[in-house]
Amino acid sequence: EGMAEVTMRAVVLESFGGPEVLAVGEAPRPVPEDGEVLVRVEYSAINRADTLQRKGGYKPPPGASEILGLEFSGVVVESRDDGSLVGKRVCALVTGGGYAEYITVPKDLLMFWPDDIPMDVAAGFPEAYLTAFQALFLVAQGKLTEAVGSADNQARRVLVHAGASGVGSSAIQILKRAGVGQIIVTAGSAEKLTFCKALGADVGINYKEQAFDEAVKAATDGQGVDVVLDFIGQKYWEQNLESLAPDGAMVMLGFLSGPKLDGPSNLAPILRKRLNIHGSTLRARSNEYKADLTRRLWAFTKDGLLDGSIQVKIDSTFAMADARLAHEHMEANKNSGKI
């Protein structure tokens, strides 16, 4: 008695591979430890990292759940050491476990979601916003001021690649809220650029139709930008260096075109323009780091969520049993906004 393991429904990986390996099965219901809460999950959002992990290309950090899912929303049903949290609507970024009925989370990582904003929006908020916020204010090391409508940011110019992606669209809204003077984005279609401009982008560049570094030079009177937010890697390396102003910073968050440079690459701009190149991931960071980041993001964005100036665009919603279809949808690059 009491020894029988309590189970829950979760999306489980039968093996590594295509979306067809995702199936709903049984998994042990997690038990909260000290400082943790147990949450009944309402929604979990899908991220590129989930598709990589499904293929066997992204190991979860030590101690993380083997279940996919890096962000979720739900209601606290149990707390080890703070009963006042039970019943609270929350969302959080986690190291895994989101594609399930229940999840345990350190209470320092919780964001307490406002009652009048839907819970699907909550599930799509943490990963993209925490990643964009961390990249722009912490990783870019002092290029931008972490304050709403800061006068210091008025003189800054920022280039955001993949502007219609989850992190890209969050970055646009954070930059707008911070009062950044010129927000330039790249995307691969007119529709995506319209979407970006509606969120606050000043200049939209269709990378399929023009070399973005030339377009950046034209848009900035030849000055270049102070910060580049890049997810593309290899294919954009040279153009990114060309796009940066002296003392500029590039933050690399991914390598969608591959991590290895092709052929000869000119390093001279790094020296000549005194450029800073930063890399960043969030998943393997310590809980202390994530808790501090979460507090700072929430202070910066909460009022914007309430007044509608900070939004999460939901592309589509799938039932847990249709996780396979949700992954197919993402891998077909069909989404504008969160899945």
Side-chain angles (χ1 to χ4, degrees):
E1 238 216 33
M3 298 303 287
E5 199 170 50
V6 183
T7 60
M8 63 176 177
R9 289 170 71 241
V11 176
V12 292
L13 286 177
E14 307 281 330
S15 58
F16 293 126
E20 68 282 354
V21 302
L22 300 173
V24 174
E26 297 281 308
R29 191 167 108 179
V31 177
E33 297 177 0
D34 289 342
E36 290 187 335
V37 295
L38 180 71
V39 179
R40 189 179 67 246
V41 177
E42 289 194 22
Y43 292 90
S44 181
I46 292 181
N47 289 285
R48 288 271 165 197
D50 304 349
T51 63
L52 288 173
Q53 191 174 328
R54 186 202 73 225
K55 293 173 190 163
Y58 193 159
K59 280 180 93 71
S65 168
E66 291 290 316
I67 296 169
L68 299 181
L70 300 178
E71 57 185 334
F72 72 92
S73 65
V75 176
V76 177
V77 289
E78 191 187 320
S79 170
R80 276 299 288 268
D81 40 24
D82 185 353
S84 70
L85 298 179
V86 173
K88 294 264 194 263
R89 291 155 48 100
V90 297
C91 63
L93 181 73
V94 286
T95 53
Y99 295 13
E101 285 185 305
Y102 292 92
I103 190 169
T104 52
V105 198
K107 63 183 185 187
D108 293 349
L109 302 187
L110 298 172
M111 289 179 269
F112 296 98
W113 200 248
D115 283 340
D116 38 6
I117 305 176
M119 290 296 268
D120 56 348
V121 175
F125 179 76
E127 202 275 341
Y129 273 96
L130 284 162
T131 299
F133 187 87
Q134 176 201 20
L136 294 168
F137 294 127
L138 284 71
V139 184
Q141 293 184 1
K143 290 277 172 259
L144 302 171
T145 304
E146 186 184 326
V148 175
S150 161
D152 295 341
N153 289 331
Q154 193 51 50
R156 295 296 187 194
R157 298 180 167 116
V158 179
L159 170 63
V160 177
H161 289 304
S165 67
V167 177
S169 58
S170 304
I172 294 167
Q173 295 175 77
I174 288 169
L175 291 167
K176 183 89 179 153
R177 188 165 177 76
V180 167
Q182 192 178 34
I183 304 165
I184 305 174
V185 300
T186 64
S189 72
E191 296 78 40
K192 285 183 174 181
L193 292 173
T194 303
F195 171 79
C196 293
K197 287 190 174 168
L199 294 178
D202 301 300
V203 178
I205 302 165
N206 186 333
Y207 64 81
K208 291 179 180 167
E209 291 173 0
Q210 58 188 142
F212 73 78
D213 54 336
E214 288 165 23
V216 166
K217 290 235 173 81
T220 60
D221 303 321
Q223 304 286 301
V225 293
D226 300 294
V227 178
V228 171
L229 200 55
D230 183 52
F231 315 86
I232 309 299
Q234 176 250 315
K235 212 165 66 180
Y236 281 12
W237 172 256
E238 303 245 350
Q239 287 174 274
N240 280 335
L241 298 185
E242 285 301 317
S243 301
L244 281 161
D247 296 304
M250 172 157 71
V251 178
M252 309 193 76
L253 296 177
F255 308 110
L256 291 178
S257 67
K260 293 197 165 74
L261 295 179
D262 259 358
S265 177
N266 183 9
L267 299 174
I270 301 175
L271 199 75
R272 193 179 72 247
K273 294 197 281 189
R274 305 179 299 274
L275 302 180
N276 295 281
I277 296 169
H278 304 284
S280 182
T281 64
L282 189 47
R283 194 175 186 183
R285 296 272 195 176
S286 72
N287 272 347
E288 292 73 31
Y289 180 97
K290 288 178 186 166
D292 174 60
L293 178 63
T294 300
R295 266 194 308 276
R296 288 161 68 172
L297 170 72
W298 196 240
F300 182 87
T301 50
K302 187 182 175 192
D303 292 345
L305 279 164
L306 292 168
D307 69 24
S309 62
I310 292 281
Q311 297 180 0
V312 176
K313 300 287 187 193
I314 307 291
D315 171 82
S316 48
T317 305
F318 292 82
M320 189 196 244
D322 293 329
R324 175 178 67 82
L325 300 178
H327 274 227
E328 283 171 3
H329 187 62
M330 173 169 268
E331 289 181 298
N333 287 325
K334 292 219 174 100
N335 57 308
S336 269
K338 300 295 287 195
I339 304 170

